Amino acid sequence: MGLVVLGLAVARGGIPVLDGLSFSVPTGSALILRGPNGIGKTTLLRTLAGLQPPLAGTVTGADEDAAYASHADGVKAPLSVTENLAFWAEVYGRNLPQDVFAAFDLEALRDRAAGTLSSGQTRRLGLARLGVIGRSVLFLDEPTNSLDAFSVRLFADWLRDRHLAAGGIAVIATHIDLGIDAPILELSPYVAAPDASGGSDEAFL
Amino acid sequence: MSIWEYANPKKFVETTTPLLPWTFGLAGLCLVGGLIWGFFFTPDDYRQGATVKIIYLHVPSALMAINAWLMMLVASLIWLVRRHHVSALAARAAAPVGVTMTLVALVTGAIWGQPMWGTWWAWDPRLTSFLILFLFYLGYMALWEAIADPDTAADLTSVLCIVGSVFALLSRYAVNFWNQGLHQGASLSLDAEKNVADIFYYPLLACIAGFVLLFLALVLLRTRTEIRVRRIRALELRARRAEART
Amino acid sequence: MKALILRDLRLAIRAGGGFGLGLAFFLIVIVLVPFGVGPEAAVLRRIAPGILWVAALLAALLSLDRIFALDHEDGSLPLLATAPLPLESVALAKAIAHWITTGLPLTLAAPGLGFLLNLSPAAYPWLFGGLALGTPALSLIGTFGAALTVGLRRGGLLLSLLVLPLYVPILIFGAEAARRGGDGLEATVPLVFLGGIALGTLALMPFAAALVLRINLR
């Protein structure tokens, strides 16, 4: 049935930023979010992932199956690459799939402490978490930050061939072309009006 | 027409505008009247002498110190359940008044204690409890100051107020267990037999009324200030957003 | 939950300063006290239970702000919040990990360090029992405080201001138990109170901590 969003309005710090968003993402496909800095892409993704309540509207098809990846990786520097991934596998109650190391080019880094990785390698480790936890609806915030062209292609391949091909869904905020065949949602038309209702300051105006 | 209508900030400010001078006036009247009556027209206590007269400041401020915290607790619960901004801001507004009352109670207590017990400070259960209450007030106010987003601050301080209340109560009994005190029993209670003599009682009542009204007036004033601060913030933010769009 | 506890323990060991730091701090406080109050054995014996308890409290406080701060900085906290593990369990796991790294070693070391302060022999079982019951409560309350101040830049200082008043009842009952025990009196009553507080915080604090975490993550 996929992800269905109806009349969604989201707020950052109690101020409405996006208003009247409606879209749906069928299973096995992705959606790219575009918009200038500060428009509320992160806020939208956090709301979709259930980290903050929406001002209005509904999100269906996400709650139990969703995973969120922020632009921070959540990687623990003192732990090795394998330990980092094994931790998330256990939290999600799964076994650590061995093919994930190859998919994210971490094979050679398995036993390195995550603190000694370069920022691109750390990012790959952060993304590999998505391959470990087995969630079907992914909300990705700038997943390709600090990745080189090769790694971007690696990630796009994983997303297309493993995740989406298995009936997964992905909503991605990104500025670069991932090379995935996905519709693009431009957020600029949905910017909330300065007098949009629902903000926490509303009672004071 | 329900009482929650007054929880709207604008309505609250409108309603309290005519009330404010009356509350201040009445508070002043009760305080001046009660204190003059108490200081100049009551006899000295046969045991405590003239020092007893500090009771007119000590008892009402101690009473308000606790009641201010209770009011903050109720306001916090209302905010968490019903999300009325005025309630959260009233709790915030009451804290500095409450902490001042606590300080007044502690200082007047010390001044009273010196001639009576021969010491400015004793680790007596009541005194200690008030000192702990003072610390709770400080923590509560510090948390309000530390958080930038007003709604988050309101939520977090409300939870702190509730958790703090539980632990304040716990401390009260723990402290009783820890040390039997010097402090005399309650000066006032509802069953009148145990109360202080009538001649001290009526001016004391006037002073208590004065302190309650003063607390009310100060909290109203401060709540109105907080509401206006929030309103200015909201207007500025809206103006900035409108500017950014053009 | 087990995974989270194990991860936090592993982090504490690898990053250093997990087990050792709190214990070293505890030791230093104990060593400094006689310099402050004088070496007289009778005086030290009188104040030993209180000093040991206050030192344990401060040592527990020392590592509180790290409970959530590290996870907040590297972005694991929102990831944990969206994981199938409820936040209440996250808070409880964090408290348990904190207790194992600070409370447990302190409990084990305190009777040993009691010698330095000339603690009366009869007080040892009561000190140990009190710490065993009290330090979990310290960690649980501290987790709530850490959750309250998680996003704040100068959270550490504020954290102590918020948490220390909450520690008052535990300190009173804990030190009282050790003192009464040392005087050869019956000390089960304060110990039972302490156990009650520990159970109460165990039941309620994870929920309060999860509540404020959710607010802070919003």
Side-chain angles (χ1 to χ4, degrees):
Chain A
M1 74 164 232
L3 177 76
V4 182
V5 171
L6 274 178
L8 191 70
V10 301
R12 177 177 53 218
I15 297 157
V17 286
L18 294 170
D19 199 2
L21 267 170
S22 295
F23 59 83
S24 66
V25 189
T27 45
S29 63
L31 178 73
I32 310 276
L33 301 177
R34 284 274 159 83
N37 288 339
I39 197 172
K41 294 189 291 289
T42 299
T43 311
L44 174 59
L45 286 169
R46 285 173 60 90
T47 310
L48 290 173
L51 277 168
Q52 58 180 82
L55 282 184
T58 55
V59 180
T60 43
D63 27 76
E64 280 306 303
D65 257 339
Y68 169 69
S70 63
H71 26 98
D73 294 303
V75 163
K76 288 292 172 194
L79 300 185
S80 75
V81 168
T82 314
E83 281 169 332
N84 264 301
L85 290 177
F87 164 69
W88 287 110
E90 200 176 339
V91 167
Y92 279 79
R94 294 168 57 87
N95 293 322
L96 182 60
Q98 293 305 314
D99 58 349
V100 76
F101 292 100
F104 290 91
D105 194 21
L106 293 168
E107 213 46 91
L109 305 171
R110 268 173 183 259
D111 297 320
R112 280 265 292 278
T116 65
L117 301 180
S118 75
S119 61
Q121 288 167 331
T122 311
R123 185 80 237 189
R124 285 213 302 275
L125 174 55
L127 291 172
R129 183 183 72 95
L130 300 169
V132 165
I133 60 179
R135 289 289 150 130
S136 58
V137 184
L138 302 183
F139 300 112
L140 310 176
D141 196 353
E142 302 285 359
T144 54
N145 257 3
S146 68
L147 289 186
D148 57 17
F150 170 74
S151 303
V152 169
R153 211 163 51 246
L154 207 66
F155 173 64
D157 287 344
W158 174 82
L159 199 63
R160 188 187 327 101
D161 301 337
R162 301 286 187 83
H163 183 70
L164 298 179
I169 290 174
V171 179
I172 309 162
T174 182
H175 287 286
I176 62 158
D177 184 19
L178 279 176
I180 293 177
D181 184 25
I184 290 173
L185 179 65
E186 177 60 49
L187 290 176
S188 305
Y190 299 101
V191 173
D195 53 354
S197 67
S200 65
D201 282 338
E202 196 174 40
F204 294 92
L205 293 170
Chain B
M1 173 81 190
S2 104
I3 186 164
W4 299 117
E5 217 169 276
Y6 295 99
N8 175 288
K10 249 182 276 177
K11 180 92 178 152
F12 180 85
V13 172
E14 265 169 38
T15 321
T16 52
T17 305
L19 290 179
L20 203 57
W22 287 101
T23 331
F24 266 116
L26 220 54
L29 209 67
C30 284
L31 273 179
V32 171
L35 288 178
I36 290 178
W37 185 3
F39 282 161
F40 299 111
F41 299 99
T42 58
D44 290 351
D45 186 77
Y46 73 96
R47 228 160 12 98
Q48 306 195 4
T51 42
V52 75
K53 294 188 171 178
I54 205 165
I55 195 175
Y56 301 114
L57 289 174
H58 181 65
V59 171
S61 61
L63 215 62
M64 288 323 292
I66 295 171
N67 287 343
W69 184 272
L70 285 181
M71 179 236 141
M72 280 157 55
L73 175 63
V74 172
S76 299
L77 284 170
I78 292 176
W79 159 252
L80 285 181
V81 175
R82 296 201 57 132
R83 317 292 296 174
H84 290 306
H85 287 90
V86 173
S87 183
L89 294 179
R92 177 178 192 170
V97 186
V99 81
T100 314
M101 293 288 182
T102 316
L103 204 59
V104 170
L106 284 169
V107 170
T108 54
I111 295 170
W112 196 0
Q114 214 284 326
M116 287 299 101
W117 304 331
T119 171
W120 295 100
W121 178 261
W123 289 93
D124 158 276
R126 282 198 183 211
L127 275 67
T128 312
S129 305
F130 264 79
L131 199 58
I132 296 170
L133 184 65
F134 185 68
L135 295 178
F136 273 111
Y137 272 120
L138 290 187
Y140 178 86
M141 293 194 302
L143 190 61
W144 259 113
E145 292 305 318
I147 303 166
D149 182 71
D151 275 14
T152 309
D155 280 334
L156 294 179
T157 50
S158 296
V159 178
L160 178 69
C161 186
I162 292 164
V163 173
S165 302
V166 175
F167 277 88
L169 211 63
L170 218 60
S171 305
R172 179 79 183 85
Y173 289 103
V175 162
N176 260 338
F177 178 85
W178 165 73
N179 192 357
Q180 312 299 329
L182 295 165
H183 203 283
Q184 54 190 315
S187 305
L188 289 177
S189 60
L190 288 176
D191 47 335
E193 272 174 53
K194 279 188 281 174
N195 285 351
V196 290
D198 276 0
I199 194 140
F200 300 121
Y201 183 62
Y202 292 111
L204 183 54
L205 273 192
C207 284
I208 290 175
F211 265 80
V212 170
L213 286 166
L214 181 66
F215 173 76
L216 196 68
L218 288 173
V219 171
L220 280 182
L221 185 71
R222 290 185 48 84
T223 309
R224 289 156 53 90
T225 313
E226 296 289 345
I227 287 174
R228 292 197 168 115
V229 169
R230 264 306 280 279
R231 183 168 154 77
I232 289 169
R233 192 189 104 102
L235 289 172
E236 272 177 357
L237 281 173
R238 190 164 71 170
R240 208 175 306 152
R241 263 178 301 149
E243 216 169 85
R245 258 169 92 87
T246 50
Chain C
M1 237 179 97
K2 203 183 91 206
L4 188 56
I5 298 173
L6 286 178
R7 183 192 71 156
D8 273 19
L9 291 181
R10 202 174 277 163
L11 285 174
I13 295 167
R14 296 229 183 125
F19 289 94
L21 216 62
L23 214 54
F25 179 79
F26 189 60
L27 178 68
I28 285 178
V29 174
I30 304 283
V31 169
L32 285 180
V33 167
F35 296 141
V37 300
E40 207 180 318
V43 173
L44 287 177
R45 170 169 297 203
R46 256 181 61 77
I47 60 171
I51 298 299
L52 285 166
W53 261 95
V54 170
L57 211 116
L58 294 177
L61 188 73
L62 197 65
S63 49
L64 277 186
D65 61 333
R66 285 163 53 109
I67 292 184
F68 289 116
L70 294 178
D71 282 335
H72 180 73
E73 276 161 27
D74 66 18
S76 336
L77 210 50
L79 303 184
L80 278 174
T82 48
L85 198 62
L87 264 182
E88 285 79 4
S89 306
V90 172
L92 185 59
K94 289 279 179 186
I96 292 173
H98 179 261
W99 181 70
I100 294 176
T101 49
T102 60
L104 185 62
L106 288 189
T107 308
L108 297 175
L113 294 176
F115 289 109
L116 286 176
L117 294 178
N118 200 21
L119 186 69
S120 112
Y124 283 102
W126 299 106
L127 178 71
F128 182 77
L131 282 171
L133 286 172
T135 46
L138 296 183
S139 292
L140 284 159
I141 296 170
T143 308
F144 167 70
L148 210 50
T149 54
V150 65
L152 300 175
R153 227 160 271 123
R154 302 254 316 265
L157 210 58
L158 181 63
L159 181 63
S160 6
L161 183 59
L162 296 179
V163 163
L164 282 178
L166 301 178
Y167 281 170
V168 168
I170 297 168
L171 177 63
I172 288 178
F173 288 125
E176 187 71 20
R179 190 160 43 233
R180 286 191 183 188
D183 293 344
L185 300 170
E186 178 61 29
T188 29
V189 177
L191 220 55
V192 168
F193 273 118
L194 206 55
I197 293 175
L199 288 176
T201 51
L202 178 64
L204 297 176
M205 277 302 152
F207 291 95
L211 178 65
V212 292
L213 266 186
R214 272 195 200 100
I215 295 166
N216 262 328
L217 280 173
R218 206 166 51 195

